[in-house]
Amino acid sequence: MGEDATTTNASNLTHQDDILRWIKLGVTSHSSSEAWDAYSFETLLECLKPIRGLVDEKFQIIVMNLPPNQKVTLHSLHQSEDKDFWEAFGHYISDEHGSVTGDKDESFGGTYEGIEPMGLMWSMRPIAGSRHGLRLHKRDIFTPVAVQISVYSGHLFHGFSQQTPPVTSVIERWYIAPGVKRVSIKEKEVRGTLFLPPGPGPYPGVLDLWGTGGGLVEYRSALLASHGFASMALEFLTPENLRLEDIDASYFEKAYHILKSHPAVQWDQLAVLGQSLGSVITLSMVAYARVIKPQCCVCISGSHLMPFDKSLSEFFEKIEKHADKLYVNEDNQVICRDLILSLPCQILKVDVGGIKCPLLLVNGDDDQMVPSVESAEDMEMMMEKAGNRHLLEILTYPDAGHLIEPPYSPHFCATNFDQQWTKERIVMLWGGQTKPHAYAQEDAWKKILAFLRQHLSAM
Amino acid sequence: MRTSDGPWIESGELHCSGLIEIERKTWGEALDLSSGQDYYDLTKTVSSERGACPLLTVQPSRALMDEKFQIVIMNLLPNQKVTLHSLHQSEDKDFWEAYGHYVSDKHGTVTVAKDRCLGGTYDGTEQMGLIWSMRPIPGSRSGLRLRKTNVLTPMVIHISVYGGHLSQGFSQITPLATSVTERWYVTPGVQRVNVREKGVRATLFLPPGPGPYPGVLDLWGGGGGLVEYRSSLLASHGFASMALEYLAPEELRTAEVDVAYFEKAYQILQNHPKVQSNRMAMLGLSFGSAVTLSMAAYSKVIKPQCCVCISGSHVFPVNKSLFEVFEDMKKYMDRVVMNEENQVIHRGIILPIPSDPALKVDVGKIKCPLLLVNAGDDQNWASVESAEDMEMMMEKAGNRHLLTVLTYPDAGHLIEPPYTPHFRASNFILQDLKQKIVMLWGGQTKPHAYAQEDAWEKILGFLQQHLYFSSKAKL
């Protein structure tokens, strides 16, 4: 066919061709059993709703016009920005009307089981033969996560690429709602990205701090802005021209001040949200409350056992001194939590009794990186003594790991990690089991949004 | 800071959730910011007083063009007057807007799908009124038409809530809340393929997945060019749809466009590896309908499973080159008139419907189901009269059972995919004469919007019935 070479794909997915090629590998004729002849493409497409949604939005999947009591496999496929393929699948049996309904029917096996309407998202893992230790992290938040959803005949465990599914649909999940604006922050030496909701504002502000993975991670802030918060993702490990020695309390205070004085931000409705190292910094800054005095804080997978009071280089030096307490298991995965527990903490703990605003702690009890649960218990005791216990709320998720991210992103028990303090690449164990971790992400996100709304609207 | 007008809501009385907007105004009246007061200064003083935060949600925020959305406003005062406003900047940089006046219920809520709009660019209970009643803002150029050229990007619409019942000045007033919604012409995974083969110029849209799919050859009308948005929507509903360009003065001479051109295009589509060769349809609008009917009746190559003709006629068969067809039509140009507003009314050109069979497509020869979609106020083609004549011809020939006719009262000629704004008249360039005129299409806005929504549903249903669910192809 003499087509022009120009083929453009919808949904800005440049890997779509790759996916289609992958699906067709080794197939000369597609399955043509009588059962599928009456199958309408329309039925699957119409029954994936919403076909474009935010990443934290559930989708409804209904497959119709199947023969009754037919074994089918629902399969999801995604190609990441790093070009790796991720997939998930569930085994279903159509009912007497020939339908499979994601939020009512059970998956009998696959990468997830039970009644799990979002299982095709959160149970994704790299396909067989992929590189090890992968993690799914969206960098370009202006393009969606595109996932191909297919229906196969029978209960398959592998070989999805060798068969042509009778029906395929593509869904998109976006980290950013329409109209959200992205503003690059480059003021003095502070580097970050501010996301503003649509409309005139002003909006409550959130300072968003990630962990030791480093860089500028934007997707959570983009999502928060999609929910009405002016959210600033801050880069502190380490932006251009800055060294770890330069990242001290004043860096964060400057960042907070930039957010607070932005004309689109409501200066007296601010929160700080930290994760992992970001939580550690949050607790330190807020407890000593010199400049950073938010209306509320959220700390995910954090600890008060490692105060941040000078610079990041000094912070990492302290940890380095106890590196012998880093435990490496039989799978060569590094476990950090014992190191932190071994720190001489009595004199060094963050004085959480000094915190004056509501504080939400979100922890996974299988956190292998930070002893967040033990820390939370200790913080509770300290705040009880200091008389500010009423400000504290703790959410502990059984069998969830360290990386509690926005909902439906896959769970990673262990991934490749570039250690900041030794510049070594290791495999870090985060912990958690897939299903409880998925539940934790979904529930925690709902509760974090509710907590922020509660404290950033009423005075 | 307290103003003298209206009551304040004490903090804590209304719970704020979701999209948070600080209420800076007194209730019931829009604050006049045109005095030049610095907006941000105002918020710094006003924000120390607490008001409620109206919550505006538009769901889904990203949808297909033919999908409905739900607009709900919450956290208003009970029985509060508000104006819902939509704003869009077209690819040509013109601004389009619509608005409706509502009054919140006793819970302080407005639900557009259930509540009555009391006035504005639409009224009544109209879930999608904010889109289909859009028109160019005051001061715009005249005779505009809203048509998407790049179908891979969405139409972006700003939806805002204003205090009070406003009819103008929206750009000078700060809304209570704003949400942005995207309307897409493609579903994720649809592939766009440029087709330039054997002199045929077209764009093919393929649904996601390996296929194969039923094929639809999609023809627009005398306006010419390559119009992609209907095909991209059809692909979003599971049809491999090819938008064909056949009137392109720079690239194609009308003397070169004849039956062979359309047959080649049809074959290109039919032979595509992802198209089911025995599940094909032709869909034409306006002059494209004449082409469709002619091919279905006479072509030995084009034998679709079904056809759809929108706002068309069987008069002036396309059994020669377009150049010759247009020469034939010129003979009747005296029947084309202009009204007092200098708008061209084209419908008379085929009236009265000729009785001479040489001047009409012999629709008695059509062997596949045929759906006619017509507008009762079509000022461009006498499609309703043509349909009546076609029905008689088919009755005589014994194939009347293949015909379905949908006629929409008070709709105009341009029956487009749903929620596209209605244009009673718009700028048009007459092909051969290269003359710029204003063409009258006809129709009233609300009935036209209804026609577009209902017709699209029926067209999709018709295509699905004949291309998906019916037994194997036979003619």
Side-chain angles (χ1 to χ4, degrees), chain A residues 1-4 6-10 17 41-42 45 52 164 170 172 174 176 178 199-201 263 266 453 457, chain B residues 16 18 24 39-40 47 50 62 174 178 180 184 186 188 190-194 196-197 210 236-238 272 464 468:
Chain A
M1 177 168 172
E3 287 163 27
D4 187 290
T6 319
T7 303
T8 22
N9 294 315
D17 277 346
F41 166 88
E42 190 74 7
L45 179 62
R52 287 184 168 98
T164 306
V170 179
E172 287 177 358
W174 294 73
I176 194 162
Q266 186 54 42
R453 285 175 188 141
S457 57
Chain B
C16 209
R24 293 166 300 275
Y39 166 77
Y40 298 120
S47 62
R50 298 295 296 127
R62 290 182 167 98
T174 308
T178 293
V180 179
W184 290 77
V186 278
V190 164
Q191 257 191 299
R192 179 187 176 281
V193 181
N194 278 326
R196 300 285 183 273
E197 190 184 333
S236 303
H237 287 281
H272 190 285
Q464 271 158 21
Y468 267 105

Side-chain angles (χ1 to χ4, degrees), chain B residues 31 149 179 219 230 286 290 296 319 336 385 391 422 424 466:
Chain B
L31 186 66
T149 319
S179 198
L219 306 171
R230 190 169 56 201
S286 194
N319 48 9
V336 174
E385 294 88 330
E391 192 172 355
H422 165 245
R424 191 167 161 79
H466 295 291

Side-chain angles (χ1 to χ4, degrees), chain A residues 1-12 16-17 20 23-24 30 34 37-43 45-46 49-54 57 65 148 164-172 174-180 197-204 225-229 260-269 452-454 456-459, chain B residues 11-12 15-22 24 39-40 43-44 47-48 50-51 53 59-64 67 152-153 156 158 174-182 184-197 204 206-213 234-239 242 268-269 271-274 276 279 460 464 468-469 472:
Chain A
M1 177 168 172
E3 287 163 27
D4 187 290
T6 319
T7 303
T8 22
N9 294 315
S11 74
N12 299 316
Q16 187 65 13
D17 277 346
L20 287 177
I23 289 286
K24 285 168 70 176
H30 49 278
E34 273 303 313
D37 271 357
Y39 203 95
S40 168
F41 166 88
E42 190 74 7
T43 57
L45 179 62
E46 276 189 351
K49 278 187 188 313
I51 205 147
R52 287 184 168 98
L54 286 183
E57 244 178 291
N65 291 347
Q148 188 151 293
T164 306
V167 187
T168 288
S169 227
V170 179
I171 58 153
E172 287 177 358
W174 294 73
Y175 277 97
I176 194 162
V180 168
Y203 319 93
S226 305
H227 288 284
F229 302 95
K260 180 170 165 161
S261 46
H262 192 282
V265 175
Q266 186 54 42
W267 61 272
D268 55 354
Q269 289 194 351
L452 291 173
R453 285 175 188 141
Q454 180 191 356
L456 296 183
S457 57
M459 290 280 239
Chain B
S11 65
H15 176 66
C16 209
S17 61
L19 281 180
I20 296 175
E21 291 283 346
I22 303 298
R24 293 166 300 275
Y39 166 77
Y40 298 120
T43 52
K44 279 186 159 60
S47 62
S48 54
R50 298 295 296 127
C53 311
Q59 291 294 335
S61 59
R62 290 182 167 98
L64 276 188
E67 232 180 301
L152 297 181
T153 58
V156 179
H158 283 68
T174 308
L176 305 180
T178 293
S179 198
V180 179
T181 184
E182 292 175 357
W184 290 77
Y185 278 96
V186 278
T187 211
V190 164
Q191 257 191 299
R192 179 187 176 281
V193 181
N194 278 326
V195 177
R196 300 285 183 273
E197 190 184 333
L204 173 62
L206 296 167
Y213 321 95
L234 286 169
S236 303
H237 287 281
F239 302 97
M242 189 161 105
I268 288 169
L269 177 63
N271 295 335
H272 190 285
K274 287 189 182 168
Q276 291 173 302
R279 298 198 179 179
L460 287 178
Q464 271 158 21
Y468 267 105
F469 294 115
K472 300 289 182 292

Side-chain angles (χ1 to χ4, degrees), chain A residues 257-313:
Chain A
H257 179 76
I258 289 170
L259 177 69
K260 180 170 165 161
S261 46
H262 192 282
V265 175
Q266 186 54 42
W267 61 272
D268 55 354
Q269 289 194 351
L270 298 173
V272 182
L273 192 157
Q275 173 143 11
S276 196
L277 175 60
S279 290
V280 169
I281 292 165
T282 302
L283 288 169
S284 300
M285 298 275 98
V286 172
Y288 304 120
R290 285 180 299 255
V291 166
I292 298 183
K293 299 187 199 200
Q295 274 53 57
C296 66
C297 292
V298 180
C299 291
I300 305 174
S301 303
S303 169
H304 66 318
L305 296 176
M306 308 168 285
F308 168 72
D309 46 17
K310 299 212 178 68
S311 72
L312 275 187
S313 73

Side-chain angles (χ1 to χ4, degrees), chain B residues 33-176:
Chain B
L33 292 179
S34 58
S35 59
Q37 199 168 7
D38 182 83
Y39 166 77
Y40 298 120
D41 279 349
L42 200 60
T43 52
K44 279 186 159 60
T45 45
V46 171
S47 62
S48 54
E49 298 281 357
R50 298 295 296 127
C53 311
L55 167 63
L56 168 64
T57 56
V58 181
Q59 291 294 335
S61 59
R62 290 182 167 98
L64 276 188
M65 269 305 289
D66 57 7
E67 232 180 301
K68 291 190 179 187
F69 52 30
Q70 286 283 359
I71 300 183
V72 176
I73 320 172
M74 297 200 293
N75 295 348
L76 296 168
L77 276 182
N79 306 310
Q80 181 182 356
K81 286 185 186 173
V82 290
T83 304
L84 260 180
H85 178 263
S86 61
L87 183 70
H88 167 69
Q89 187 174 28
S90 69
E91 286 161 323
D92 299 322
K93 307 289 185 196
D94 303 293
F95 283 99
W96 293 70
E97 69 176 0
Y99 60 92
H101 297 151
Y102 290 88
V103 176
S104 62
D105 64 14
K106 58 181 190 251
H107 306 292
T109 299
V110 171
T111 309
V112 174
K114 291 195 345 251
D115 297 344
R116 285 182 49 83
C117 169
L118 303 169
T121 55
Y122 66 101
D123 56 28
T125 307
E126 296 292 347
Q127 187 169 356
M128 302 300 290
L130 279 175
I131 304 206
W132 55 250
S133 72
M134 277 181 144
R135 75 276 173 98
I137 61 172
S140 298
R141 311 177 284 159
S142 62
L144 294 177
R145 187 172 165 184
L146 194 61
R147 300 190 96 178
K148 197 77 167 66
T149 319
N150 180 357
V151 297
L152 297 181
T153 58
M155 182 181 171
V156 179
I157 304 179
H158 283 68
I159 310 272
S160 301
V161 187
Y162 292 84
H165 282 174
L166 311 179
S167 298
Q168 62 197 19
F170 293 101
S171 55
Q172 276 90 54
I173 300 166
T174 308
L176 305 180

